[in-house]
Protein backbone atom coordinates (compact mmCIF):
# COMPACT_ATOMS: atom_id res chain seq x y z
CA UNK A 1 0.00 0.00 0.00
CA UNK A 2 2.79 2.40 0.94
CA UNK A 3 4.68 1.62 -2.29
CA UNK A 4 1.50 2.19 -4.32
CA UNK A 5 0.91 5.59 -2.70
CA UNK A 6 4.54 6.56 -3.26
CA UNK A 7 4.22 5.63 -6.93
CA UNK A 8 1.04 7.69 -7.30
CA UNK A 9 2.72 10.66 -5.61
CA UNK A 10 5.71 10.37 -7.94
CA UNK A 11 3.41 10.32 -10.99
CA UNK A 12 1.57 13.38 -9.68
CA UNK A 13 4.83 15.23 -9.03
CA UNK A 14 6.05 14.43 -12.54
CA UNK A 15 2.82 15.64 -14.13
CA UNK A 16 2.95 18.87 -12.10
CA UNK A 17 6.55 19.44 -13.19
CA UNK A 18 5.47 20.12 -16.79
CA UNK A 19 3.07 22.77 -18.11
CA UNK A 20 1.78 22.16 -21.63
CA UNK A 21 -1.25 24.14 -22.82
CA UNK A 22 -2.05 22.07 -25.88
CA UNK A 23 -5.41 21.31 -27.41
CA UNK A 24 -5.12 18.68 -30.09
CA UNK A 25 -7.01 15.66 -31.30
CA UNK A 26 -5.75 12.11 -31.36
CA UNK A 27 -3.31 11.40 -34.17
CA UNK A 28 -5.10 10.24 -37.32
CA UNK A 29 -2.89 7.76 -39.16
CA UNK A 30 -2.47 7.67 -42.91
CA UNK A 31 -3.94 4.91 -45.02
CA UNK A 32 -1.45 2.04 -44.97
CA UNK A 33 -0.97 -1.09 -47.03
CA UNK A 34 0.04 -3.79 -44.55
CA UNK A 35 1.15 -7.33 -45.28
CA UNK A 36 0.50 -9.83 -42.50
CA UNK A 37 1.23 -13.52 -42.35
CA UNK A 38 1.42 -16.27 -39.78
CA UNK A 39 4.42 -18.27 -38.59
CA UNK A 40 4.40 -21.20 -36.21
CA UNK A 41 7.63 -21.11 -34.18
CA UNK A 42 8.76 -24.01 -32.05
CA UNK A 43 9.68 -22.77 -28.56
CA UNK A 44 13.34 -23.78 -28.89
CA UNK A 45 13.64 -21.79 -32.12
CA UNK A 46 11.97 -18.69 -30.74
CA UNK A 47 14.20 -18.69 -27.65
CA UNK A 48 17.28 -18.94 -29.89
CA UNK A 49 16.04 -15.98 -31.94
CA UNK A 50 15.48 -13.98 -28.75
CA UNK A 51 19.08 -14.67 -27.73
CA UNK A 52 20.66 -13.80 -31.10
CA UNK A 53 18.53 -10.71 -31.72
CA UNK A 54 16.52 -12.07 -34.64
CA UNK A 55 13.49 -11.35 -32.48
CA UNK A 56 13.96 -8.42 -30.13
CA UNK A 57 11.90 -6.97 -27.31
CA UNK A 58 11.72 -3.17 -27.01
CA UNK A 59 13.79 -1.60 -24.28
CA UNK A 60 11.61 0.68 -22.17
CA UNK A 61 10.38 0.93 -18.60
CA UNK A 62 7.74 -1.46 -17.25
CA UNK A 63 9.28 -4.10 -19.49
CA UNK A 64 8.34 -7.19 -17.46
CA UNK A 65 5.49 -7.32 -14.95
CA UNK A 66 4.63 -10.99 -14.51
CA UNK A 67 5.58 -12.73 -11.29
CA UNK A 68 7.13 -16.21 -11.19
CA UNK A 69 3.77 -17.94 -10.65
CA UNK A 70 2.25 -16.26 -13.74
CA UNK A 71 5.28 -17.20 -15.86
CA UNK A 72 5.19 -20.73 -14.45
CA UNK A 73 1.54 -21.22 -15.40
CA UNK A 74 2.27 -20.13 -18.98
CA UNK A 75 5.11 -22.66 -19.25
CA UNK A 76 2.92 -25.31 -17.63
CA UNK A 77 0.30 -24.74 -20.35
CA UNK A 78 2.93 -25.52 -22.98
CA UNK A 79 4.09 -28.61 -21.08
CA UNK A 80 0.48 -29.83 -20.95
CA UNK A 81 -0.08 -29.16 -24.64
CA UNK A 82 -2.76 -26.56 -23.99
CA UNK A 83 -3.39 -23.76 -26.52
CA UNK A 84 -1.82 -20.40 -25.64
CA UNK A 85 -2.38 -16.93 -27.11
CA UNK A 86 -0.26 -16.02 -30.12
CA UNK A 87 2.23 -13.18 -30.33
CA UNK A 88 2.42 -10.16 -32.63
CA UNK A 89 5.64 -9.17 -34.41
CA UNK A 90 6.63 -6.39 -36.81
CA UNK A 91 9.31 -6.98 -39.40
CA UNK A 92 11.95 -4.28 -39.72
CA UNK A 93 12.60 -3.08 -43.28
CA UNK A 94 16.06 -4.01 -44.45
CA UNK A 95 17.29 -6.11 -41.53
CA UNK A 96 14.39 -8.55 -41.50
CA UNK A 97 14.56 -8.63 -37.70
CA UNK A 98 11.28 -8.76 -35.83
CA UNK A 99 10.08 -6.40 -33.10
CA UNK A 100 7.80 -7.85 -30.44
CA UNK A 101 4.65 -5.73 -30.43
CA UNK A 102 2.52 -7.99 -28.27
CA UNK A 103 3.60 -11.02 -26.26
CA UNK A 104 6.71 -9.88 -24.44
CA UNK A 105 5.59 -11.31 -21.08
CA UNK A 106 5.26 -14.77 -22.63
CA UNK A 107 8.51 -14.56 -24.57
CA UNK A 108 10.56 -13.26 -21.66
CA UNK A 109 9.10 -15.99 -19.45
CA UNK A 110 10.41 -18.58 -21.90
CA UNK A 111 13.83 -16.96 -22.16
CA UNK A 112 14.16 -16.68 -18.38
CA UNK A 113 13.16 -20.33 -17.94
CA UNK A 114 15.61 -21.59 -20.54
CA UNK A 115 18.40 -19.39 -19.07
CA UNK A 116 17.59 -20.62 -15.57
CA UNK A 117 17.05 -17.25 -13.82
CA UNK A 118 13.84 -15.30 -13.31
CA UNK A 119 13.89 -11.67 -14.49
CA UNK A 120 17.60 -11.13 -13.71
CA UNK A 121 18.81 -7.55 -13.14
CA UNK A 122 22.14 -6.45 -14.58
CA UNK A 123 23.19 -4.63 -11.40
CA UNK A 124 21.91 -7.25 -8.93
CA UNK A 125 24.41 -9.08 -6.73
CA UNK A 126 22.45 -12.34 -6.99
CA UNK A 127 20.00 -14.02 -9.37
CA UNK A 128 16.75 -15.80 -8.57
CA UNK A 129 16.66 -19.37 -9.90
CA UNK A 130 13.59 -19.94 -12.04
CA UNK A 131 11.74 -22.90 -10.52
CA UNK A 132 8.19 -23.60 -11.63
CA UNK A 133 5.77 -22.67 -8.87
CA UNK A 134 2.03 -23.10 -8.23
CA UNK A 135 1.77 -25.68 -11.01
CA UNK A 136 0.90 -29.38 -11.12
CA UNK A 137 2.78 -31.55 -8.65
CA UNK A 138 4.90 -33.22 -11.34
CA UNK A 139 6.31 -29.87 -12.45
CA UNK A 140 6.54 -28.04 -9.09
CA UNK A 141 10.05 -26.68 -8.36
CA UNK A 142 11.38 -27.93 -11.69
CA UNK A 143 13.93 -25.86 -13.57
CA UNK A 144 14.58 -26.20 -17.29
CA UNK A 145 17.60 -28.38 -16.50
CA UNK A 146 15.78 -30.62 -14.00
CA UNK A 147 12.71 -31.28 -16.16
CA UNK A 148 12.43 -34.88 -17.21
CA UNK A 149 13.91 -35.33 -20.69
CA UNK A 150 10.54 -36.06 -22.32
CA UNK A 151 9.04 -32.92 -20.75
CA UNK A 152 11.97 -30.77 -21.86
CA UNK A 153 11.68 -32.10 -25.42
CA UNK A 154 7.92 -31.51 -25.43
CA UNK A 155 8.46 -27.94 -24.24
CA UNK A 156 11.13 -27.25 -26.87
CA UNK A 157 8.86 -28.64 -29.60
CA UNK A 158 5.76 -26.75 -28.46
CA UNK A 159 4.42 -24.31 -31.03
CA UNK A 160 3.79 -20.61 -30.53
CA UNK A 161 1.86 -18.89 -33.32
CA UNK A 162 3.08 -15.48 -34.44
CA UNK A 163 1.36 -12.92 -36.64
CA UNK A 164 3.97 -10.87 -38.50
CA UNK A 165 3.14 -7.48 -40.03
CA UNK A 166 5.11 -5.42 -42.52
CA UNK A 167 4.23 -2.03 -44.01
CA UNK A 168 4.36 -2.04 -47.82
CA UNK A 169 3.19 1.52 -48.45
CA UNK A 170 3.33 4.47 -48.29
CA UNK A 171 7.08 4.24 -48.84
CA UNK A 172 7.79 7.69 -47.36
CA UNK A 173 5.78 7.27 -44.14
CA UNK A 174 6.92 4.26 -42.15
CA UNK A 175 4.79 5.03 -39.08
CA UNK A 176 2.21 2.25 -39.16
CA UNK A 177 4.13 0.20 -36.57
CA UNK A 178 3.80 3.09 -34.10
CA UNK A 179 0.00 2.95 -34.42
CA UNK A 180 -0.15 -0.84 -34.26
CA UNK A 181 2.04 -0.84 -31.15
CA UNK A 182 -0.13 1.88 -29.56
CA UNK A 183 -3.35 -0.05 -30.15
CA UNK A 184 -2.09 -3.46 -29.04
CA UNK A 185 -0.43 -2.09 -25.91
CA UNK A 186 -3.43 -0.22 -24.55
CA UNK A 187 -4.16 -2.47 -21.58
CA UNK A 188 -3.45 -1.17 -18.08
CA UNK A 189 -1.69 2.18 -18.02
CA UNK A 190 -1.51 3.49 -21.57
CA UNK A 191 2.00 3.84 -22.94
CA UNK A 192 3.18 7.41 -23.48
CA UNK A 193 4.12 8.43 -27.06
CA UNK A 194 7.86 8.58 -26.35
CA UNK A 195 7.81 5.13 -24.76
CA UNK A 196 6.30 3.76 -27.98
CA UNK A 197 8.79 5.68 -30.15
CA UNK A 198 11.67 4.30 -28.09
CA UNK A 199 10.34 0.78 -28.62
CA UNK A 200 9.66 1.12 -32.34
CA UNK A 201 12.42 3.39 -33.66
CA UNK A 202 15.49 1.95 -31.97
CA UNK A 203 18.79 3.10 -33.40
CA UNK A 204 21.33 5.96 -33.24
CA UNK A 205 18.80 8.76 -32.73
CA UNK A 206 17.10 7.01 -29.81
CA UNK A 207 20.54 6.28 -28.36
CA UNK A 208 21.42 9.97 -28.70
CA UNK A 209 18.26 11.08 -26.89
CA UNK A 210 19.06 8.71 -24.02
CA UNK A 211 22.60 10.07 -23.81
CA UNK A 212 21.57 13.74 -23.98
CA UNK A 213 18.93 13.15 -21.34
CA UNK A 214 21.77 12.68 -18.88
CA UNK A 215 23.36 16.07 -19.64
CA UNK A 216 23.95 17.68 -16.21
CA UNK A 217 22.54 21.09 -17.19
CA UNK A 218 19.38 19.46 -18.59
CA UNK A 219 18.89 17.33 -15.52
CA UNK A 220 19.28 20.41 -13.32
CA UNK A 221 16.69 22.31 -15.37
CA UNK A 222 14.15 19.52 -15.90
CA UNK A 223 14.53 17.74 -12.58
CA UNK A 224 14.34 14.02 -11.88
CA UNK A 225 14.19 11.69 -14.85
CA UNK A 226 10.60 11.24 -16.05
CA UNK A 227 9.13 7.72 -15.88
CA UNK A 228 7.13 8.32 -19.07
CA UNK A 229 10.13 9.70 -21.00
CA UNK A 230 8.66 13.20 -21.29
CA UNK A 231 12.14 14.67 -20.82
CA UNK A 232 13.44 12.72 -23.81
CA UNK A 233 10.42 13.80 -25.82
CA UNK A 234 11.21 17.46 -25.12
CA UNK A 235 14.74 16.99 -26.47
CA UNK A 236 13.21 15.38 -29.59
CA UNK A 237 10.79 18.32 -29.86
CA UNK A 238 13.69 20.80 -29.71
CA UNK A 239 15.43 19.08 -32.63
CA UNK A 240 12.22 18.74 -34.65
CA UNK A 241 11.39 22.44 -34.29
CA UNK A 242 14.97 23.59 -34.84
CA UNK A 243 15.36 21.54 -38.01
CA UNK A 244 11.88 21.26 -39.48
CA UNK A 245 9.43 23.75 -37.95
CA UNK A 246 8.23 24.90 -41.38
CA UNK A 247 6.84 21.43 -42.00
CA UNK A 248 4.96 21.37 -38.70
CA UNK A 249 1.30 20.42 -38.72
CA UNK A 250 -1.01 19.05 -36.06
CA UNK A 251 -1.12 16.81 -34.21
CA UNK A 252 2.19 17.36 -32.43
CA UNK A 253 2.52 13.67 -31.52
CA UNK A 254 2.43 12.70 -35.20
CA UNK A 255 4.88 15.45 -36.21
CA UNK A 256 7.42 14.25 -33.63
CA UNK A 257 6.94 10.61 -34.60
CA UNK A 258 7.50 11.36 -38.29
CA UNK A 259 10.62 13.44 -37.52
CA UNK A 260 12.09 10.64 -35.43
CA UNK A 261 11.27 8.06 -38.09
CA UNK A 262 13.06 10.18 -40.71
CA UNK A 263 16.15 10.55 -38.51
CA UNK A 264 16.27 7.22 -36.65
CA UNK A 265 19.44 6.15 -38.50
CA UNK A 266 21.22 9.50 -38.07
CA UNK A 267 24.88 9.36 -39.14
CA UNK A 268 27.73 10.06 -36.75
CA UNK A 269 28.49 13.53 -38.15
CA UNK A 270 24.90 14.73 -37.82
CA UNK A 271 24.59 13.12 -34.40
CA UNK A 272 27.65 15.01 -33.20
CA UNK A 273 26.22 18.27 -34.58
CA UNK A 274 22.84 17.71 -32.89
CA UNK A 275 24.44 16.77 -29.59
CA UNK A 276 26.71 19.81 -29.68
CA UNK A 277 23.95 22.36 -30.29
CA UNK A 278 21.67 20.89 -27.62
CA UNK A 279 24.42 20.79 -24.99
CA UNK A 280 25.71 24.29 -25.74
CA UNK A 281 22.20 25.77 -25.69
CA UNK A 282 20.99 24.12 -22.48
CA UNK A 283 24.27 24.86 -20.69
CA UNK A 284 23.97 28.55 -21.54
CA UNK A 285 20.40 28.72 -20.26
CA UNK A 286 21.27 26.89 -17.06
CA UNK A 287 24.35 29.04 -16.45
CA UNK A 288 22.36 32.23 -17.04
CA UNK A 289 19.07 31.32 -15.36
CA UNK A 290 19.71 28.36 -13.08
CA UNK A 291 17.07 25.68 -12.44
CA UNK A 292 14.23 28.19 -12.92
CA UNK A 293 14.83 28.29 -16.68
CA UNK A 294 11.61 27.89 -18.72
CA UNK A 295 9.49 28.14 -15.57
CA UNK A 296 7.50 31.38 -15.76
CA UNK A 297 5.50 30.21 -12.77
CA UNK A 298 6.50 26.90 -11.15
CA UNK A 299 6.31 24.11 -13.72
CA UNK A 300 8.44 23.85 -16.83
CA UNK A 301 6.44 25.44 -19.64
CA UNK A 302 6.94 23.34 -22.77
CA UNK A 303 6.20 26.17 -25.19
CA UNK A 304 8.64 28.52 -23.44
CA UNK A 305 11.29 25.80 -23.49
CA UNK A 306 10.76 25.02 -27.16
CA UNK A 307 10.77 28.62 -28.42
CA UNK A 308 13.63 29.84 -26.20
CA UNK A 309 15.85 26.87 -27.03
CA UNK A 310 15.26 27.21 -30.77
CA UNK A 311 15.84 30.97 -30.69
CA UNK A 312 19.14 30.73 -28.82
CA UNK A 313 20.32 27.68 -30.80
CA UNK A 314 19.87 29.58 -34.08
CA UNK A 315 21.86 32.50 -32.66
CA UNK A 316 24.67 30.14 -31.59
CA UNK A 317 24.79 28.60 -35.05
CA UNK A 318 24.97 32.00 -36.68
CA UNK A 319 27.45 33.86 -34.51
CA UNK A 320 28.66 31.72 -31.63
CA UNK A 321 27.68 31.76 -27.98
CA UNK A 322 26.32 34.81 -26.18
CA UNK A 323 27.64 35.95 -22.84
CA UNK A 324 25.46 35.05 -19.87
CA UNK A 325 24.21 38.58 -19.23
CA UNK A 326 22.82 38.83 -22.77
CA UNK A 327 21.16 35.43 -22.50
CA UNK A 328 19.47 36.40 -19.25
CA UNK A 329 18.42 39.86 -20.48
CA UNK A 330 17.06 38.56 -23.79
CA UNK A 331 15.17 35.73 -22.09
CA UNK A 332 13.59 38.17 -19.63
CA UNK A 333 12.60 40.56 -22.43
CA UNK A 334 11.11 37.70 -24.46
CA UNK A 335 9.04 36.47 -21.55
CA UNK A 336 7.83 40.00 -20.82
CA UNK A 337 6.50 40.34 -24.37
CA UNK A 338 2.69 40.38 -24.09
CA UNK A 339 2.11 38.55 -27.37
CA UNK A 340 4.67 35.85 -26.53
CA UNK A 341 3.09 35.30 -23.11
CA UNK A 342 -0.25 34.77 -24.81
CA UNK A 343 1.25 32.29 -27.30
CA UNK A 344 2.78 30.10 -24.58
CA UNK A 345 -0.31 29.93 -22.41
CA UNK A 346 -3.04 28.64 -24.72
CA UNK A 347 -3.52 26.32 -27.73
CA UNK A 348 0.25 25.85 -27.90
CA UNK A 349 0.18 23.21 -30.66
CA UNK A 350 -1.82 25.28 -33.17
CA UNK A 351 0.18 25.71 -36.37
CA UNK A 352 -0.08 29.51 -36.40
CA UNK A 353 0.74 29.71 -32.70
CA UNK A 354 3.86 27.53 -33.07
CA UNK A 355 5.09 29.51 -36.07
CA UNK A 356 4.58 32.91 -34.45
CA UNK A 357 6.18 32.16 -31.10
CA UNK A 358 9.23 30.60 -32.77
CA UNK A 359 9.51 33.67 -34.97
CA UNK A 360 9.28 36.02 -31.97
CA UNK A 361 11.86 34.09 -29.96
CA UNK A 362 14.23 33.89 -32.92
CA UNK A 363 13.97 37.66 -33.47
CA UNK A 364 14.68 38.46 -29.82
CA UNK A 365 17.80 36.29 -29.69
CA UNK A 366 19.02 37.43 -33.12
CA UNK A 367 19.20 41.00 -31.79
CA UNK A 368 21.12 40.00 -28.64
Amino acid sequence: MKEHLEELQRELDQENNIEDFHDEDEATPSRYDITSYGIDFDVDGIVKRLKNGGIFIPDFQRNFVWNMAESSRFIESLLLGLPVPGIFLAQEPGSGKMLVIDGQQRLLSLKFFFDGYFNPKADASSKRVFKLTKVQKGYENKTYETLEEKDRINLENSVLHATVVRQDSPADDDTSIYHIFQRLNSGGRKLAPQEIRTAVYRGPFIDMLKELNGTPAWRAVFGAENDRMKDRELILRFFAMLENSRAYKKPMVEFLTAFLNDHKDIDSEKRASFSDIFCRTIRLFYSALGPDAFRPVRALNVAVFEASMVGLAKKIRESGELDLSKVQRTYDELNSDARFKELVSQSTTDVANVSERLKIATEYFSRA
Side-chain angles (χ1 to χ4, degrees):
M1 182 66 176
K2 181 181 178 181
E3 290 180 357
H4 180 62
L5 291 175
E6 288 175 348
E7 182 180 355
L8 290 176
Q9 184 60 53
R10 185 176 67 253
E11 290 180 13
L12 182 61
D13 290 342
Q14 290 187 351
E15 288 180 6
N16 290 336
N17 185 44
I18 303 170
E19 193 172 49
D20 195 4
F21 300 100
H22 63 81
D23 179 21
E24 61 180 27
D25 299 324
E26 288 288 326
T28 303
S30 307
R31 172 71 184 179
Y32 299 107
D33 286 330
I34 303 290
T35 296
S36 65
Y37 55 93
I39 299 180
D40 286 332
F41 290 104
D42 63 80
V43 165
D44 186 59
I46 209 165
V47 170
K48 287 179 179 176
R49 287 173 173 82
L50 285 167
K51 291 181 178 181
N52 66 27
I55 295 175
F56 64 95
I57 293 173
D59 178 23
F60 64 93
Q61 295 161 346
R62 308 194 315 277
N63 200 17
F64 189 75
V65 296
W66 277 8
N67 58 38
M68 192 181 291
E70 291 171 312
S71 294
S72 295
R73 284 192 290 272
F74 170 67
I75 292 166
E76 180 192 34
S77 294
L78 293 171
L79 287 166
L80 294 172
L82 298 175
V84 296
I87 61 174
F88 219 97
L89 308 173
Q91 189 169 27
E92 277 193 332
S95 73
K97 294 182 178 181
M98 297 183 186
L99 165 72
V100 177
I101 297 180
D102 185 58
Q104 62 181 348
Q105 307 300 315
R106 281 158 275 160
L107 294 180
L108 282 173
S109 294
L110 287 171
K111 184 177 183 298
F112 295 157
F113 190 62
F114 276 59
D115 288 345
Y117 298 102
F118 183 76
N119 196 15
K121 306 298 183 184
D123 56 350
S125 58
S126 61
K127 297 180 181 179
R128 187 181 180 190
V129 175
F130 193 163
K131 296 180 179 181
L132 297 178
T133 182
K134 297 185 179 179
V135 293
Q136 289 191 10
K137 185 176 180 181
Y139 301 133
E140 188 71 23
N141 290 322
K142 294 288 188 179
T143 67
Y144 173 73
E145 295 295 337
T146 61
L147 279 173
E148 292 187 19
E149 184 178 10
K150 65 179 180 61
D151 291 325
R152 190 163 57 249
I153 292 173
N154 284 338
L155 177 61
E156 292 170 348
N157 291 337
S158 296
V159 172
L160 199 58
H161 182 75
T163 299
V164 182
V165 296
R166 183 185 66 240
Q167 178 179 321
D168 295 324
S169 68
D172 61 345
D173 178 17
D174 183 23
T175 58
S176 64
I177 304 305
Y178 175 95
H179 295 290
I180 294 171
F181 198 102
Q182 181 187 49
R183 283 158 174 74
L184 287 179
N185 285 269
S186 58
R189 186 171 70 167
K190 186 178 180 181
L191 292 172
Q194 191 59 29
E195 292 179 292
I196 301 175
R197 296 185 192 108
T198 298
V200 173
Y201 299 113
R202 69 191 186 108
F205 201 99
I206 285 294
D207 293 341
M208 179 187 70
L209 292 179
K210 181 179 180 180
E211 178 183 307
L212 293 177
N213 200 40
T215 304
W218 174 234
R219 290 269 54 93
V221 167
F222 186 90
E225 193 163 341
N226 187 271
D227 291 343
R228 312 304 300 281
M229 299 189 179
K230 185 66 177 180
D231 39 6
R232 300 188 196 189
E233 182 178 78
L234 292 187
I235 301 173
L236 168 63
R237 183 161 166 169
F238 161 68
F239 288 130
M241 288 302 176
L242 178 63
E243 298 293 318
N244 206 30
S245 63
R246 290 184 179 180
Y248 172 69
K249 59 182 179 180
K250 295 180 68 174
M252 179 67 74
V253 65
E254 194 78 353
F255 172 69
L256 297 181
T257 299
F259 181 84
L260 176 55
N261 179 52
D262 290 342
H263 293 80
K264 63 180 181 293
D265 296 319
I266 187 171
D267 62 42
S268 57
E269 182 179 355
K270 192 70 171 178
R271 176 173 173 170
S273 175
F274 274 28
S275 296
D276 178 69
I277 194 62
F278 174 77
C279 290
R280 290 170 69 185
T281 305
I282 194 62
R283 279 199 300 260
L284 267 177
F285 272 124
Y286 177 62
S287 297
L289 304 169
D292 293 331
F294 320 123
R295 298 176 185 271
V297 185
R298 188 185 68 85
L300 188 149
N301 183 298
V302 171
V304 171
F305 161 80
E306 168 201 278
S308 302
M309 286 284 290
V310 169
L312 180 55
K314 288 182 176 180
K315 177 67 175 180
I316 292 172
R317 281 181 169 177
E318 291 172 2
S319 55
E321 296 185 8
L322 300 176
D323 63 58
L324 299 183
S325 62
K326 286 186 177 180
V327 173
Q328 182 176 23
R329 183 174 68 251
T330 303
Y331 175 85
D332 289 341
E333 290 173 352
L334 172 64
N335 283 274
S336 296
D337 183 295
R339 180 57 179 156
F340 184 77
K341 288 197 290 185
E342 180 182 349
L343 292 168
V344 299
S345 60
Q346 59 184 12
S347 302
T348 55
T349 60
D350 284 352
V351 174
N353 186 317
V354 169
S355 177
E356 188 175 355
R357 72 166 176 267
L358 289 176
K359 179 181 178 182
I360 292 173
T362 300
E363 288 176 349
Y364 266 96
F365 281 101
S366 69
R367 297 193 298 263

